[in-house]
Amino acid sequence: CTAILLSMAMTAEVFAAPPAVTYDETLYVNMDSYGSPTKTSIVKNYSLNSNTSVTDHGEYSDVINMTDYTEPDKKDGSVTFDFSKAAQIPKRFYFEGKNPKLSSELPWNIDVSYKLNGVPAKAEDLAGANGLIEIDIDILPNDNAADYYKNNFILEAACVADTDDILSIEAPGSQMVTIGSLKNVVFFALPGEEQHYTVSIGSDDFEFSGMLFMMQPATMSQVDDIKDLRDTKEDIEDSADAISDSLDVVLDTLDSMQSSLKNTSEGLKGLQKARETVSKSKGAV
């Protein structure tokens, strides 16, 4: 089966008496073979900057101190670690907080399905399979995510395959990098984009280490580039709409011309009949 890890990184600052405590955080989401979250935890890395305590504002079902034995003081909506009585005050402090609800706030939902030789298959039946295995990945924007995540986060989807253990690998639309016998496949999605990826692996004894998804905020310069890309995309869409409208006008004009040509043809037939009548009446005149 396939194990998928989804990670997200961002930075923030806790405002306190100077010098301020600063931190960064990474959200880890373990997913089953089909993209459904199974375990969610957030790891925070604090720089104490000579402070003796840390107060984190967040809702957690469980909190694990990853640095020393200081016990957390948990209250509604906050967790405090007081190091004033510790044998040594750490310069950097790590803790893990578990909250299954966090996965529902991610800017994308992920759905993974499989085929063996073109036939839909269960992930658990693919271990050791012989044939062409297709891994279809649907990246769908999450309308319930906060606007900041939807508008500023980019997504990377990656997997690794050892060419010594497989017959072939194809991934249309990906960036594929070769390192020795390893093929590294990477896909990208810009903020708010819906994407559909396929990784096809030919194997006579299928084994797969899984997909890794990383969501991270773009830098300020990247945000400008993303805005330019979005504006260009909108310009292209507007141009396409204008071309479509112009084609409608052309088609309507051609239709009118066809009607006019038909009327002209009928008029010419009438003139021909009048000429024949005049020709027959020449003698009488």
Side-chain angles (χ1 to χ4, degrees):
C1 64
T2 306
I4 302 178
L5 170 67
L6 177 67
S7 65
M8 178 176 65
M10 56 185 174
T11 61
E13 181 176 344
V14 175
F15 295 97
V21 174
T22 59
Y23 77 93
D24 58 58
E25 61 186 25
T26 302
L27 174 66
Y28 296 92
V29 181
N30 290 91
M31 309 172 76
D32 64 18
S33 302
Y34 303 97
S36 298
T38 58
K39 179 182 177 183
T40 305
S41 63
I42 188 168
V43 176
K44 296 197 174 183
N45 168 22
Y46 278 91
S47 296
L48 295 184
N49 299 327
S50 300
N51 288 273
T52 59
S53 67
V54 168
T55 298
D56 181 271
H57 298 280
E59 295 283 352
Y60 306 108
S61 59
D62 190 21
V63 176
I64 301 171
N65 185 336
M66 304 172 68
T67 301
D68 60 15
Y69 297 100
T70 301
E71 291 293 329
D73 179 17
K74 294 193 292 184
K75 297 179 181 179
D76 289 341
S78 67
V79 178
T80 299
F81 291 88
D82 185 357
F83 304 103
S84 59
K85 297 181 180 179
Q88 183 177 0
I89 299 176
K91 293 182 178 180
R92 301 187 69 84
F93 168 66
Y94 299 82
F95 84 87
E96 177 184 2
K98 298 182 179 180
N99 185 345
K101 297 180 181 179
L102 292 175
S103 61
S104 64
E105 300 176 4
L106 297 174
W108 284 278
N109 293 317
I110 298 173
D111 182 74
V112 185
S113 59
Y114 305 86
K115 293 178 183 176
L116 175 59
N117 296 325
V119 179
K122 295 180 179 179
E124 51 269 29
D125 295 337
L126 294 177
N130 183 351
L132 182 65
I133 295 88
E134 295 178 43
I135 305 169
D136 295 315
I137 307 159
D138 296 322
I139 307 296
L140 306 172
N142 179 12
D143 294 333
N144 296 322
D147 288 342
Y148 173 76
Y149 298 143
K150 289 191 291 186
N151 297 328
N152 294 285
F153 271 57
I154 59 176
L155 178 142
E156 300 172 29
C159 67
V160 178
D162 193 334
T163 54
D164 289 340
D165 299 328
I166 61 176
L167 302 176
S168 63
I169 181 169
E170 292 183 356
S174 72
Q175 176 67 47
M176 193 173 297
V177 180
T178 302
I179 303 176
S181 64
L182 299 179
K183 288 281 188 181
N184 297 272
V185 178
V186 182
F187 297 99
F188 294 92
L190 294 175
E193 275 193 334
E194 176 179 332
Q195 292 287 358
H196 303 275
Y197 308 132
T198 298
V199 180
S200 302
I201 299 176
S203 176
D204 52 12
D205 186 11
F206 182 66
E207 183 177 339
F208 189 59
S209 59
M211 296 292 302
L212 172 67
F213 298 88
M214 293 177 287
M215 301 180 189
Q216 59 190 26
T219 63
M220 292 305 296
S221 59
Q222 289 171 331
V223 169
D224 292 337
D225 292 339
I226 290 169
K227 183 179 183 301
D228 291 340
L229 285 172
R230 184 170 293 163
D231 291 343
T232 302
K233 180 181 178 183
E234 290 175 356
D235 289 342
I236 292 172
E237 290 173 347
D238 292 341
S239 298
D241 291 339
I243 291 172
S244 178
D245 293 340
S246 298
L247 286 174
D248 288 340
V249 172
V250 171
L251 292 173
D252 291 341
T253 303
L254 288 174
D255 188 52
S256 299
M257 288 177 63
Q258 185 177 13
S259 298
S260 298
L261 288 173
K262 183 177 180 182
N263 293 334
T264 301
S265 177
E266 294 295 332
L268 289 173
K269 289 180 180 178
L271 288 174
Q272 177 66 17
K273 288 181 179 180
R275 188 192 67 79
E276 291 175 354
T277 300
V278 171
S279 179
K280 289 179 180 179
S281 303
K282 282 191 303 184
V285 172

